[in-house]
Amino acid sequence: MLPRLAVTKLWRFVSITAPAPTRLSALDRLLPVWILAAMGLGLLLAVFVPAVGDLLHLWTIGSISVPIAIGLLVMMYPVLAKVRYTDARAVASDKRLLVSSLLLNWLVGPALMFTLAWIFLPDLPEYRTGLIIVGLARCIAMVLIWNDLACGDREAAAFLVAVNSVFQVVAFGALGWFYLQVLPAWLGLPTTSAEFSIWAITASVLVFLGIPLLAGYLSRRIGEAQRGREWYEARFLPRVGPFALWGLLFTIVMLFALQGQQVIDHPGDVARIALPMLVYFAVMFLVGFLTGRLLRMTYERTTTLAFTAAGNNFELAIAVAIGTFGALSGQALAGIVGPLIEVPALIALVYVALWLKPRLFPERMPPADAPTPAAASALV
């Protein structure tokens, strides 16, 4: 039942208004296979065509990899073009969603990663520091894809991502100081000195959220003004929707081509870094999901809460680690392992969310909060 349900949901992600088709494309039907193939292709390029990785290392603007930025922008634009921004404003009135998201992202998430880093890597201070930095970088990019694949509330996701981006600029440096210096000193543990670049944080937010958010907003505003909402959602969105998945696959190939050699050269270290990350993704997702269920949110908003809590901004974590400690540091390797583990982990959690939906959110149970029109009509 799970694969069939997941395939149906993944198709609805690509075409939100059309009725269920009788035949799925190969991309939709075998999405997990294509993601694994993209990871494998990236590793093969890293091993047998190292010039690709060298070129990707050189093709940067500041600390931002241009090919990865292109892939993320292509991936995020269709998702943000689907958001009904007039409905997204109503999400701000959902105090339970906003407060629980802020608590999970900025209190529970960093504290959990700090704890896991010290439990699993007590003898490896560089990797431990890199892991803590990953925990501080809250997701503002790929979470939109995972949320849409799991049929979450995209208006709520857009709002929470925007809120996280503001907190990221303001709070990242302070939290880094607290978790690397203040808290370890209180606990009698070794401290780490680090200065974070506000420019790297701001640039990450502006590029990976600001550009696609502006493009998506203008697309809907102009498209609906000139051709109407029916044309925009029935004709325009199905045409641009598949680019989200193509952008995702391209980004995965680029990530593994860029960083795959590091993974191959340090398999033991990668395994030690990967284990606490897997625990982190699973725990944050389940805590977010159960929190939404206990607060009697709809499935759509519960899923959004869970994925925005579980994801991390890997581009920011890598940029900060490299800028602060150097490209060959253990901190940088920990940041690099982040997306390589996050991609398969969160695509697996998409299936977990779809499996949990009929079990924890039976249709006969009336939600305590009335869903927004977008949440009630999305993906049908």
Side-chain angles (χ1 to χ4, degrees):
M1 290 182 63
L2 175 58
R4 185 175 300 174
L5 174 62
V7 166
T8 302
K9 296 301 184 182
L10 291 174
W11 170 258
R12 290 178 179 178
F13 157 70
V14 175
S15 179
I16 63 170
T17 55
T22 57
R23 188 172 183 178
L24 299 177
S25 70
L27 180 62
D28 305 314
R29 189 168 57 248
L30 301 173
L31 179 61
V33 175
W34 299 130
I35 288 178
L36 291 175
M39 294 164 61
L41 176 58
L43 285 175
L44 290 175
L45 289 175
V47 174
F48 296 105
V49 193
V52 174
D54 295 338
L55 178 62
L56 294 174
H57 274 292
L58 293 174
W59 195 7
T60 60
I61 298 177
S63 59
I64 296 174
S65 169
V66 174
I68 292 176
I70 291 173
L72 286 172
L73 294 178
V74 171
M75 176 189 76
M76 291 176 63
Y77 165 70
V79 180
L80 289 169
K82 293 176 181 179
V83 173
R84 292 176 175 175
Y85 290 92
T86 54
D87 296 332
R89 298 172 186 171
V91 178
S93 63
D94 189 343
K95 293 184 174 60
R96 289 175 301 168
L97 177 66
L98 178 58
V99 172
S100 58
S101 178
L102 290 175
L103 290 176
L104 287 172
N105 273 285
W106 298 102
L107 290 180
V108 178
L112 175 62
M113 190 67 92
F114 174 86
T115 303
L116 293 173
W118 276 99
I119 290 175
F120 286 93
L121 303 170
D123 58 329
L124 297 172
E126 290 190 359
Y127 296 155
R128 185 176 65 238
T129 298
L131 206 62
I132 292 171
I133 292 173
V134 171
L136 298 178
R138 312 313 301 168
C139 193
I140 62 171
M142 273 194 175
V143 66
L144 296 171
I145 281 287
W146 313 131
N147 178 72
D148 247 27
L149 287 174
C151 301
D153 185 329
R154 61 173 62 99
E155 283 73 31
F159 175 77
L160 293 180
V161 162
V163 171
N164 276 335
S165 70
V166 174
F167 269 80
Q168 200 144 243
V169 173
V170 174
F172 188 95
L175 286 174
W177 168 73
F178 177 77
Y179 280 104
L180 294 178
Q181 295 187 37
V182 176
L183 185 57
W186 286 350
L187 298 175
L189 302 171
T191 62
T192 301
S193 178
E195 294 183 2
F196 301 117
S197 168
I198 297 299
W199 162 246
I201 300 169
T202 305
S204 174
V205 170
L206 291 177
V207 171
F208 299 119
L209 176 62
I211 293 176
L213 182 62
L214 179 62
Y217 173 78
L218 291 177
S219 292
R220 178 170 283 276
R221 186 177 180 88
I222 295 172
E224 288 190 358
Q226 294 188 351
R227 305 292 293 272
R229 173 170 288 191
E230 182 178 355
W231 172 87
Y232 182 83
E233 295 191 345
R235 301 292 296 277
F236 178 75
L237 289 183
R239 292 178 181 175
V240 301
F243 283 97
L245 298 184
W246 287 114
L248 172 64
L249 296 178
F250 174 80
T251 302
I252 292 171
V253 172
M254 293 297 100
L255 278 171
F256 278 75
L258 182 65
Q259 313 294 356
Q261 191 61 52
Q262 288 245 50
V263 175
I264 294 171
D265 291 342
H266 306 88
D269 293 344
V270 168
R272 290 200 60 180
I273 297 169
L275 185 56
M277 283 190 176
L278 288 172
V279 174
Y280 172 85
F281 293 137
V283 170
M284 287 301 296
F285 175 84
L286 292 175
V287 169
F289 211 91
L290 292 176
T291 298
R293 182 65 180 82
L294 290 173
L295 293 176
R296 295 184 63 80
M297 296 181 189
T298 62
Y299 166 80
E300 290 77 14
R301 290 196 175 178
T302 296
T303 299
T304 298
L305 178 66
F307 277 106
T308 52
N312 291 93
N313 185 351
F314 59 84
E315 273 292 322
L316 174 59
I318 293 172
V320 168
I322 291 176
T324 306
F325 301 101
L328 300 179
S329 65
Q331 292 89 342
L333 178 60
I336 289 165
V337 172
L340 308 188
I341 302 302
E342 180 175 348
V343 169
L346 291 192
I347 193 64
L349 290 175
V350 169
Y351 283 85
V352 172
L354 296 175
W355 182 81
L356 288 173
K357 180 180 180 180
R359 291 160 176 80
L360 296 183
F361 298 87
E363 293 181 356
R364 65 180 179 273
M365 186 191 77
D369 57 335
T372 64
S377 62
L379 304 171
V380 295

